[in-house]
Amino acid sequence: MKNVLVVGGGPAGMMAAAAAAEAGCLVTLIEKNKTLGKKLLITGKGRCNVTNNCSPDELIANLPINGRFLYSAVNRFSPSDTMDFFDGLGLKLKTERGNRVFPESDHSADVLGALKRYLHNSGVNVVYHSVTGILTDETGAQGVKTDSGDIHADAVIIATGGLSYPLTGSTGDGYDFAGKLGHTIVKPKPSLVPIETAEEWPKQISGLALKNIAVRVTDKNKGKTVYEDFGELLFTHFGVSGPVVLSMSSHIRNMEPDRYTLHIDLKPALSEKQLDARLLREFDAQKNKNLSNVMPKLLPSSLADIFLNLFGIEGEMKVNEVTKEIRQRIISSLKDLPLNLSAFRPIDEAIVTSGGVKTSEINPATMESKLVPRLYFAGEIIDVDGYTGGFNLQIAFSTGRLAGQSASR
Protein backbone atom coordinates (compact mmCIF):
# COMPACT_ATOMS: atom_id res chain seq x y z
CA MET A 1 0.00 0.00 0.00
CA LYS A 2 1.37 3.40 -0.99
CA ASN A 3 2.26 5.73 1.88
CA VAL A 4 1.41 9.44 1.43
CA LEU A 5 2.23 12.37 3.74
CA VAL A 6 0.28 15.64 3.59
CA VAL A 7 1.77 18.70 5.29
CA GLY A 8 -0.86 21.24 6.38
CA GLY A 9 -4.37 20.74 7.74
CA GLY A 10 -6.21 23.52 5.94
CA PRO A 11 -8.87 22.97 3.26
CA ALA A 12 -6.35 22.01 0.55
CA GLY A 13 -4.51 19.59 2.85
CA MET A 14 -7.67 17.96 4.18
CA MET A 15 -9.03 17.48 0.65
CA ALA A 16 -5.69 16.08 -0.57
CA ALA A 17 -5.37 13.65 2.34
CA ALA A 18 -8.87 12.25 2.00
CA ALA A 19 -8.59 11.98 -1.80
CA ALA A 20 -5.37 9.95 -1.47
CA ALA A 21 -6.90 7.75 1.23
CA GLU A 22 -10.01 7.10 -0.86
CA ALA A 23 -7.70 5.95 -3.65
CA GLY A 24 -6.32 3.25 -1.36
CA CYS A 25 -3.25 4.91 0.17
CA LEU A 26 -2.07 4.90 3.76
CA VAL A 27 -2.24 8.65 4.52
CA THR A 28 -0.87 10.74 7.36
CA LEU A 29 -1.90 14.41 7.62
CA ILE A 30 0.55 16.51 9.62
CA GLU A 31 -0.66 19.78 11.18
CA LYS A 32 1.43 22.08 13.37
CA ASN A 33 -1.56 23.66 15.17
CA LYS A 34 -3.42 21.74 17.84
CA THR A 35 -6.48 21.61 15.61
CA LEU A 36 -7.30 21.40 11.89
CA GLY A 37 -8.78 24.13 9.72
CA LYS A 38 -8.03 27.09 11.99
CA LYS A 39 -8.06 29.60 9.12
CA LEU A 40 -11.15 28.02 7.56
CA LEU A 41 -13.15 28.99 10.65
CA ILE A 42 -12.63 32.72 10.07
CA THR A 43 -13.26 32.82 6.32
CA GLY A 44 -16.31 34.69 5.05
CA LYS A 45 -16.68 36.50 8.41
CA GLY A 46 -17.07 33.13 10.09
CA ARG A 47 -19.68 31.94 7.58
CA CYS A 48 -17.25 30.23 5.15
CA ASN A 49 -17.83 31.08 1.48
CA VAL A 50 -17.05 27.53 0.28
CA THR A 51 -17.14 28.20 -3.47
CA ASN A 52 -18.76 30.25 -6.22
CA ASN A 53 -21.69 28.73 -8.12
CA CYS A 54 -20.19 29.28 -11.58
CA SER A 55 -18.73 27.35 -14.49
CA PRO A 56 -15.03 26.36 -14.63
CA ASP A 57 -14.40 29.03 -17.29
CA GLU A 58 -16.07 31.69 -15.15
CA LEU A 59 -13.99 30.60 -12.18
CA ILE A 60 -10.75 30.86 -14.15
CA ALA A 61 -11.80 34.33 -15.38
CA ASN A 62 -11.89 35.37 -11.70
CA LEU A 63 -8.31 34.26 -11.03
CA PRO A 64 -6.13 37.25 -12.06
CA ILE A 65 -2.85 35.46 -11.38
CA ASN A 66 -2.07 32.30 -13.41
CA GLY A 67 -5.68 31.23 -13.77
CA ARG A 68 -5.02 29.10 -16.87
CA PHE A 69 -2.62 26.96 -14.85
CA LEU A 70 -5.67 25.62 -12.99
CA TYR A 71 -7.63 24.62 -16.10
CA SER A 72 -7.11 20.89 -15.52
CA ALA A 73 -7.62 20.98 -11.74
CA VAL A 74 -10.81 23.06 -11.93
CA ASN A 75 -12.33 21.01 -14.74
CA ARG A 76 -11.67 17.79 -12.83
CA PHE A 77 -13.18 19.18 -9.63
CA SER A 78 -15.40 22.15 -10.45
CA PRO A 79 -17.54 24.41 -8.25
CA SER A 80 -20.56 22.19 -8.96
CA ASP A 81 -18.48 19.17 -7.89
CA THR A 82 -17.62 20.98 -4.66
CA MET A 83 -21.30 21.67 -4.01
CA ASP A 84 -22.20 18.04 -4.70
CA PHE A 85 -19.30 16.94 -2.49
CA PHE A 86 -20.56 18.86 0.55
CA ASP A 87 -24.14 17.85 -0.14
CA GLY A 88 -22.95 14.24 -0.06
CA LEU A 89 -21.40 14.91 3.34
CA GLY A 90 -24.79 16.10 4.58
CA LEU A 91 -23.94 19.82 4.56
CA LYS A 92 -26.75 21.91 3.08
CA LEU A 93 -25.59 24.91 1.04
CA LYS A 94 -27.20 28.10 -0.28
CA THR A 95 -26.24 30.53 -3.05
CA GLU A 96 -26.28 34.27 -2.34
CA ARG A 97 -25.54 37.49 -4.25
CA GLY A 98 -22.63 37.17 -6.65
CA ASN A 99 -23.13 33.37 -6.75
CA ARG A 100 -21.36 33.06 -3.40
CA VAL A 101 -22.05 29.68 -1.79
CA PHE A 102 -22.39 29.35 2.01
CA PRO A 103 -23.57 26.65 4.40
CA GLU A 104 -27.29 27.13 5.14
CA SER A 105 -26.38 27.35 8.83
CA ASP A 106 -24.03 30.33 8.20
CA HIS A 107 -21.47 28.59 10.45
CA SER A 108 -17.97 27.82 9.15
CA ALA A 109 -17.65 25.25 11.94
CA ASP A 110 -20.19 23.11 10.07
CA VAL A 111 -17.95 23.12 6.97
CA LEU A 112 -14.95 22.14 9.06
CA GLY A 113 -16.98 19.46 10.82
CA ALA A 114 -17.98 17.94 7.47
CA LEU A 115 -14.34 17.87 6.30
CA LYS A 116 -13.17 16.30 9.56
CA ARG A 117 -15.79 13.54 9.26
CA TYR A 118 -14.66 13.01 5.66
CA LEU A 119 -11.06 12.58 6.86
CA HIS A 120 -12.09 10.16 9.60
CA ASN A 121 -14.31 8.09 7.32
CA SER A 122 -11.54 7.94 4.69
CA GLY A 123 -9.12 6.51 7.27
CA VAL A 124 -6.65 9.42 7.33
CA ASN A 125 -4.29 9.44 10.30
CA VAL A 126 -3.94 12.99 11.68
CA VAL A 127 -0.85 13.89 13.74
CA TYR A 128 0.16 17.22 15.26
CA HIS A 129 3.84 18.01 14.68
CA SER A 130 5.88 20.87 13.23
CA VAL A 131 7.48 19.89 9.92
CA THR A 132 10.99 21.33 9.55
CA GLY A 133 11.93 20.09 6.09
CA ILE A 134 11.36 17.62 3.26
CA LEU A 135 13.39 14.40 3.01
CA THR A 136 14.66 13.66 -0.52
CA ASP A 137 17.17 11.51 -2.35
CA GLU A 138 18.16 11.24 -6.01
CA THR A 139 14.82 9.59 -6.82
CA GLY A 140 12.62 12.30 -5.28
CA ALA A 141 10.65 13.02 -2.09
CA GLN A 142 11.13 10.45 0.69
CA GLY A 143 9.20 11.97 3.60
CA VAL A 144 9.50 14.83 6.07
CA LYS A 145 11.59 15.98 9.01
CA THR A 146 9.57 16.96 12.08
CA ASP A 147 10.23 18.18 15.60
CA SER A 148 9.53 14.60 16.69
CA GLY A 149 11.75 12.85 14.16
CA ASP A 150 11.69 11.82 10.51
CA ILE A 151 8.60 10.32 8.87
CA HIS A 152 9.15 8.39 5.63
CA ALA A 153 6.69 8.09 2.77
CA ASP A 154 6.34 7.32 -0.96
CA ALA A 155 4.94 10.80 -1.76
CA VAL A 156 4.65 14.17 -0.03
CA ILE A 157 2.03 16.89 -0.57
CA ILE A 158 2.80 20.41 0.69
CA ALA A 159 -0.37 22.34 1.54
CA THR A 160 0.95 24.80 4.11
CA GLY A 161 -0.86 27.94 2.88
CA GLY A 162 0.65 31.39 2.41
CA LEU A 163 1.53 34.21 4.79
CA SER A 164 -1.90 35.68 5.53
CA TYR A 165 -3.32 35.35 9.06
CA PRO A 166 -0.09 33.94 10.59
CA LEU A 167 -1.85 33.28 13.92
CA THR A 168 -3.74 30.49 12.13
CA GLY A 169 -0.45 28.83 11.17
CA SER A 170 0.11 30.36 7.73
CA THR A 171 3.68 31.44 8.34
CA GLY A 172 5.27 30.66 4.98
CA ASP A 173 6.94 27.38 6.01
CA GLY A 174 6.13 25.77 2.68
CA TYR A 175 7.94 28.49 0.75
CA ASP A 176 11.07 27.66 2.73
CA PHE A 177 10.69 23.90 2.11
CA ALA A 178 10.14 24.39 -1.64
CA GLY A 179 12.89 27.00 -1.99
CA LYS A 180 15.48 24.72 -0.40
CA LEU A 181 14.57 22.06 -2.96
CA GLY A 182 15.31 24.44 -5.85
CA HIS A 183 11.85 25.89 -6.50
CA THR A 184 11.46 29.53 -7.47
CA ILE A 185 9.27 31.43 -4.98
CA VAL A 186 7.43 34.38 -6.50
CA LYS A 187 7.67 37.03 -3.76
CA PRO A 188 4.54 36.83 -1.60
CA LYS A 189 2.42 39.97 -1.30
CA PRO A 190 -1.03 40.66 0.13
CA SER A 191 -4.16 40.05 -1.92
CA LEU A 192 -7.71 40.65 -0.68
CA VAL A 193 -6.41 43.12 1.89
CA PRO A 194 -7.66 46.35 3.54
CA ILE A 195 -6.21 49.60 2.21
CA GLU A 196 -4.74 52.69 3.88
CA THR A 197 -5.77 56.16 2.72
CA ALA A 198 -3.82 59.42 2.58
CA GLU A 199 -6.73 61.18 4.26
CA GLU A 200 -7.16 60.77 8.02
CA TRP A 201 -10.88 61.51 8.32
CA PRO A 202 -11.90 57.83 8.01
CA LYS A 203 -10.31 57.39 11.47
CA GLN A 204 -13.02 59.66 12.94
CA ILE A 205 -15.74 57.25 11.79
CA SER A 206 -13.82 53.98 12.28
CA GLY A 207 -16.29 51.10 12.43
CA LEU A 208 -18.93 52.75 10.26
CA ALA A 209 -20.15 50.40 7.52
CA LEU A 210 -21.82 51.76 4.38
CA LYS A 211 -24.08 49.25 2.64
CA ASN A 212 -25.33 49.41 -0.94
CA ILE A 213 -22.76 51.93 -2.13
CA ALA A 214 -20.92 51.91 -5.47
CA VAL A 215 -17.16 52.29 -5.78
CA ARG A 216 -14.81 53.07 -8.62
CA VAL A 217 -10.99 53.09 -8.57
CA THR A 218 -9.04 55.25 -11.01
CA ASP A 219 -5.35 55.01 -11.90
CA LYS A 220 -3.92 58.52 -12.32
CA ASN A 221 -0.85 57.21 -14.17
CA LYS A 222 -2.95 55.53 -16.87
CA GLY A 223 -5.93 57.87 -16.68
CA LYS A 224 -8.46 55.06 -16.53
CA THR A 225 -10.83 53.17 -14.25
CA VAL A 226 -9.33 49.89 -13.01
CA TYR A 227 -12.21 48.60 -10.88
CA GLU A 228 -15.92 49.13 -10.21
CA ASP A 229 -18.15 47.36 -7.69
CA PHE A 230 -21.28 47.62 -5.56
CA GLY A 231 -21.72 46.47 -1.98
CA GLU A 232 -20.43 47.16 1.52
CA LEU A 233 -17.51 49.35 2.64
CA LEU A 234 -16.11 49.75 6.14
CA PHE A 235 -14.20 52.80 7.44
CA THR A 236 -11.28 51.96 9.74
CA HIS A 237 -8.62 53.70 11.79
CA PHE A 238 -6.22 53.43 8.82
CA GLY A 239 -8.57 53.87 5.85
CA VAL A 240 -11.03 51.43 4.32
CA SER A 241 -11.96 47.75 4.40
CA GLY A 242 -15.05 45.63 3.76
CA PRO A 243 -16.02 43.34 0.86
CA VAL A 244 -15.74 45.91 -1.97
CA VAL A 245 -12.31 47.03 -0.72
CA LEU A 246 -10.95 43.49 -0.40
CA SER A 247 -12.09 42.83 -3.97
CA MET A 248 -10.58 46.02 -5.34
CA SER A 249 -7.24 45.30 -3.67
CA SER A 250 -6.61 42.36 -5.97
CA HIS A 251 -7.08 44.63 -9.00
CA ILE A 252 -4.43 47.09 -7.79
CA ARG A 253 -1.17 45.43 -8.66
CA ASN A 254 1.33 48.28 -8.19
CA MET A 255 0.22 50.31 -5.21
CA GLU A 256 2.01 53.68 -5.00
CA PRO A 257 1.08 56.75 -2.95
CA ASP A 258 -0.93 59.30 -4.97
CA ARG A 259 -1.58 56.92 -7.86
CA TYR A 260 -5.00 55.37 -7.15
CA THR A 261 -8.17 57.21 -6.13
CA LEU A 262 -11.25 55.56 -4.68
CA HIS A 263 -14.51 57.24 -5.71
CA ILE A 264 -17.51 56.38 -3.49
CA ASP A 265 -21.03 56.88 -4.82
CA LEU A 266 -23.10 57.19 -1.64
CA LYS A 267 -26.39 57.20 -3.56
CA PRO A 268 -25.96 54.80 -6.52
CA ALA A 269 -29.71 54.20 -6.90
CA LEU A 270 -30.34 57.88 -7.69
CA SER A 271 -29.24 59.97 -10.66
CA GLU A 272 -28.05 63.52 -9.97
CA LYS A 273 -31.45 64.80 -11.16
CA GLN A 274 -33.32 62.43 -8.82
CA LEU A 275 -30.98 63.31 -5.97
CA ASP A 276 -31.62 67.01 -6.56
CA ALA A 277 -35.37 66.40 -6.37
CA ARG A 278 -34.85 64.47 -3.11
CA LEU A 279 -32.79 67.32 -1.64
CA LEU A 280 -35.39 69.89 -2.63
CA ARG A 281 -38.10 67.84 -0.89
CA GLU A 282 -36.03 67.52 2.29
CA PHE A 283 -35.13 71.22 2.25
CA ASP A 284 -38.68 72.29 1.61
CA ALA A 285 -39.93 70.26 4.58
CA GLN A 286 -37.30 71.70 6.96
CA LYS A 287 -36.68 75.24 5.67
CA ASN A 288 -35.75 76.82 8.99
CA LYS A 289 -33.42 74.09 10.24
CA ASN A 290 -29.65 74.11 10.00
CA LEU A 291 -28.12 72.15 7.13
CA SER A 292 -26.28 69.98 9.69
CA ASN A 293 -29.68 68.86 11.06
CA VAL A 294 -30.96 67.86 7.61
CA MET A 295 -27.90 66.00 6.25
CA PRO A 296 -28.42 62.97 8.58
CA LYS A 297 -31.57 62.31 6.54
CA LEU A 298 -29.21 61.51 3.66
CA LEU A 299 -26.15 60.09 5.43
CA PRO A 300 -25.23 58.34 8.69
CA SER A 301 -25.00 61.12 11.28
CA SER A 302 -21.31 60.43 12.04
CA LEU A 303 -20.46 60.92 8.37
CA ALA A 304 -22.76 63.92 7.80
CA ASP A 305 -20.66 66.52 9.68
CA ILE A 306 -17.41 65.24 8.16
CA PHE A 307 -19.03 65.37 4.72
CA LEU A 308 -19.98 69.06 5.07
CA ASN A 309 -16.53 70.00 6.43
CA LEU A 310 -14.75 68.14 3.62
CA PHE A 311 -16.45 70.20 0.96
CA GLY A 312 -16.34 73.54 2.76
CA ILE A 313 -20.09 73.73 3.37
CA GLU A 314 -21.19 75.55 6.52
CA GLY A 315 -23.32 73.25 8.67
CA GLU A 316 -24.86 76.14 10.61
CA MET A 317 -26.33 77.55 7.41
CA LYS A 318 -30.13 77.59 7.35
CA VAL A 319 -31.63 75.29 4.73
CA ASN A 320 -33.49 78.20 3.14
CA GLU A 321 -30.13 79.92 2.55
CA VAL A 322 -28.68 77.04 0.52
CA THR A 323 -27.98 78.27 -3.01
CA LYS A 324 -28.28 76.22 -6.16
CA GLU A 325 -24.47 76.17 -6.37
CA ILE A 326 -24.12 74.72 -2.84
CA ARG A 327 -26.87 72.21 -3.53
CA GLN A 328 -25.03 71.10 -6.67
CA ARG A 329 -21.81 70.73 -4.66
CA ILE A 330 -23.63 68.47 -2.17
CA ILE A 331 -25.09 66.37 -5.00
CA SER A 332 -21.74 66.00 -6.80
CA SER A 333 -20.02 65.01 -3.56
CA LEU A 334 -22.69 62.46 -2.62
CA LYS A 335 -22.16 60.88 -6.04
CA ASP A 336 -18.35 61.04 -5.85
CA LEU A 337 -16.71 61.05 -2.42
CA PRO A 338 -12.98 60.66 -3.17
CA LEU A 339 -10.24 59.02 -1.10
CA ASN A 340 -6.60 58.74 -2.13
CA LEU A 341 -5.29 55.21 -1.60
CA SER A 342 -1.77 55.12 -0.19
CA ALA A 343 -0.80 51.56 0.81
CA PHE A 344 -1.96 48.00 1.37
CA ARG A 345 -2.18 46.84 4.97
CA PRO A 346 0.50 44.30 6.03
CA ILE A 347 0.41 40.81 4.53
CA ASP A 348 -0.62 39.29 7.88
CA GLU A 349 -3.94 41.18 7.55
CA ALA A 350 -4.60 39.83 4.05
CA ILE A 351 -7.17 37.09 3.45
CA VAL A 352 -5.04 35.61 0.66
CA THR A 353 -1.35 35.65 -0.23
CA SER A 354 -0.44 36.37 -3.83
CA GLY A 355 2.84 34.74 -4.87
CA GLY A 356 4.34 31.39 -3.96
CA VAL A 357 5.79 28.42 -5.83
CA LYS A 358 6.19 29.32 -9.50
CA THR A 359 3.53 27.56 -11.59
CA SER A 360 5.93 26.75 -14.46
CA GLU A 361 7.73 24.41 -12.05
CA ILE A 362 4.56 22.40 -11.26
CA ASN A 363 2.80 19.96 -13.60
CA PRO A 364 -0.74 21.42 -13.96
CA ALA A 365 -2.20 17.99 -14.79
CA THR A 366 -1.01 16.41 -11.51
CA MET A 367 0.25 19.20 -9.16
CA GLU A 368 3.58 17.32 -9.00
CA SER A 369 6.84 19.22 -8.82
CA LYS A 370 8.77 19.22 -12.09
CA LEU A 371 11.99 19.41 -10.06
CA VAL A 372 11.41 16.81 -7.32
CA PRO A 373 9.52 13.63 -8.24
CA ARG A 374 6.76 12.52 -5.84
CA LEU A 375 6.51 16.02 -4.31
CA TYR A 376 3.14 17.74 -4.83
CA PHE A 377 1.67 21.14 -4.05
CA ALA A 378 -1.89 22.21 -3.19
CA GLY A 379 -3.65 25.42 -2.24
CA GLU A 380 -2.32 28.87 -1.44
CA ILE A 381 1.36 27.86 -1.54
CA ILE A 382 1.05 27.91 -5.36
CA ASP A 383 1.34 31.27 -7.15
CA VAL A 384 -2.36 31.48 -8.01
CA ASP A 385 -5.03 33.63 -6.38
CA GLY A 386 -8.57 34.75 -7.03
CA TYR A 387 -10.94 37.58 -6.27
CA THR A 388 -13.19 37.45 -3.22
CA GLY A 389 -16.35 35.38 -3.62
CA GLY A 390 -15.42 31.77 -2.89
CA PHE A 391 -12.84 31.47 -5.66
CA ASN A 392 -9.84 30.95 -3.38
CA LEU A 393 -11.40 28.10 -1.42
CA GLN A 394 -12.32 26.47 -4.73
CA ILE A 395 -8.63 26.69 -5.71
CA ALA A 396 -7.81 24.86 -2.47
CA PHE A 397 -10.37 22.12 -3.08
CA SER A 398 -9.51 21.62 -6.77
CA THR A 399 -5.74 21.53 -6.31
CA GLY A 400 -6.00 19.46 -3.13
CA ARG A 401 -8.21 16.87 -4.80
CA LEU A 402 -5.91 16.62 -7.83
CA ALA A 403 -2.72 16.43 -5.74
CA GLY A 404 -4.17 13.68 -3.53
CA GLN A 405 -5.37 11.60 -6.47
CA SER A 406 -2.08 12.08 -8.35
CA ALA A 407 0.05 11.16 -5.33
CA SER A 408 -1.91 7.92 -5.00
CA ARG A 409 -0.91 6.68 -8.45
Side-chain angles (χ1 to χ4, degrees):
M1 185 181 287
K2 197 168 186 182
N3 197 321
V4 176
L5 286 177
V6 180
V7 185
M14 286 188 280
M15 182 64 87
E22 279 189 336
C25 296
L26 188 64
V27 181
T28 300
L29 173 59
I30 308 174
E31 168 57 47
K32 69 177 180 181
N33 288 318
K34 292 179 181 177
T35 182
L36 299 173
K38 206 169 176 182
K39 186 175 174 183
L40 188 71
L41 288 174
I42 60 174
T43 62
K45 295 182 179 178
R47 294 173 64 214
C48 195
N49 184 184
V50 294
T51 188
N52 191 281
N53 191 356
C54 65
S55 69
D57 286 346
E58 287 170 325
L59 180 98
I60 288 167
N62 279 279
L63 311 181
I65 302 296
N66 298 320
R68 298 305 300 174
F69 168 79
L70 290 178
Y71 185 85
S72 182
V74 168
N75 275 280
R76 290 191 195 184
F77 197 73
S78 68
S80 63
D81 292 327
T82 297
M83 294 169 71
D84 289 344
F85 166 78
F86 280 109
D87 186 62
L89 295 179
L91 184 73
K92 298 300 180 186
L93 302 175
K94 59 182 177 179
T95 301
E96 298 186 358
R97 185 179 66 82
N99 291 326
R100 297 163 191 245
V101 179
F102 293 91
E104 279 189 359
S105 66
D106 284 330
H107 294 306
S108 57
D110 293 338
V111 179
L112 180 55
L115 287 170
K116 283 182 173 179
R117 287 193 301 275
Y118 179 49
L119 283 175
H120 177 75
N121 294 337
S122 300
V124 174
N125 177 38
V126 180
V127 297
Y128 298 95
H129 297 306
S130 286
V131 172
T132 57
I134 308 299
L135 295 170
T136 61
D137 65 12
E138 64 281 355
T139 66
Q142 292 290 318
V144 299
K145 303 173 189 174
T146 79
D147 54 359
S148 299
D150 293 353
I151 304 174
H152 294 273
D154 301 306
V156 176
I157 301 170
I158 303 179
T160 49
L163 283 170
S164 54
Y165 291 136
L167 291 177
T168 65
S170 296
T171 51
D173 302 353
Y175 300 145
D176 183 53
F177 303 154
K180 285 178 177 174
L181 295 175
H183 276 281
T184 304
I185 307 301
V186 177
K187 186 178 179 181
K189 58 183 178 180
S191 182
L192 304 186
V193 66
I195 299 178
E196 297 177 8
T197 60
E199 295 84 356
E200 295 197 1
W201 62 260
K203 186 187 298 184
Q204 299 173 50
I205 48 174
S206 179
L208 174 66
L210 298 178
K211 296 183 178 180
N212 302 319
I213 50 91
V215 296
R216 182 170 57 90
V217 179
T218 54
D219 181 345
K220 294 174 191 172
N221 288 7
K222 296 183 178 179
K224 68 176 188 178
T225 296
V226 296
Y227 185 70
E228 293 182 87
D229 200 0
F230 175 88
E232 183 179 335
L233 177 143
L234 177 71
F235 291 108
T236 70
H237 67 282
F238 54 76
V240 287
S241 186
V244 295
V245 174
L246 298 178
S247 293
M248 81 170 68
S249 68
S250 59
H251 291 259
I252 300 170
R253 288 291 154 183
N254 299 294
M255 176 66 83
E256 301 165 6
D258 202 38
R259 175 172 179 178
Y260 294 98
T261 304
L262 168 63
H263 306 266
I264 306 170
D265 183 347
L266 296 162
K267 299 291 176 184
L270 301 175
S271 66
E272 289 203 5
K273 186 177 179 180
Q274 290 170 320
L275 193 49
D276 192 24
R278 165 91 186 273
L279 276 179
L280 286 169
R281 285 197 304 275
E282 295 287 355
F283 289 177
D284 191 51
Q286 303 176 79
K287 298 177 184 177
N288 298 315
K289 289 194 174 181
N290 290 348
L291 189 54
S292 59
N293 296 127
V294 179
M295 286 306 292
K297 296 274 186 183
L298 298 159
L299 292 171
S301 55
S302 58
L303 177 58
D305 287 342
I306 290 172
F307 180 87
L308 292 174
N309 291 334
L310 277 177
F311 300 104
I313 302 169
E314 181 55 58
E316 300 305 307
M317 179 190 300
K318 297 295 182 188
V319 168
N320 58 20
E321 297 173 351
V322 175
T323 64
K324 184 177 180 181
E325 184 273 328
I326 292 175
R327 199 172 74 244
Q328 187 55 51
R329 206 186 318 165
I330 293 171
I331 292 165
S332 298
S333 304
L334 285 169
K335 296 296 287 180
D336 187 353
L337 176 63
L339 278 167
N340 290 295
L341 306 178
S342 57
F344 292 129
R345 290 296 286 170
I347 198 164
D348 59 8
E349 292 181 31
I351 292 176
V352 171
T353 305
S354 181
V357 179
K358 196 172 184 180
T359 54
S360 62
E361 297 171 359
I362 303 170
N363 183 340
T366 60
M367 295 296 128
E368 185 177 16
S369 165
K370 291 181 179 178
L371 309 184
V372 182
R374 302 192 304 284
L375 177 68
Y376 299 81
F377 298 101
E380 199 178 346
I381 188 172
I382 304 168
D383 182 27
V384 181
D385 64 272
Y387 300 136
T388 184
F391 302 109
N392 290 289
L393 266 182
Q394 183 60 49
I395 293 172
F397 294 138
S398 294
T399 57
R401 188 89 170 177
L402 181 54
Q405 290 173 340
S406 300
S408 72
R409 298 188 188 110

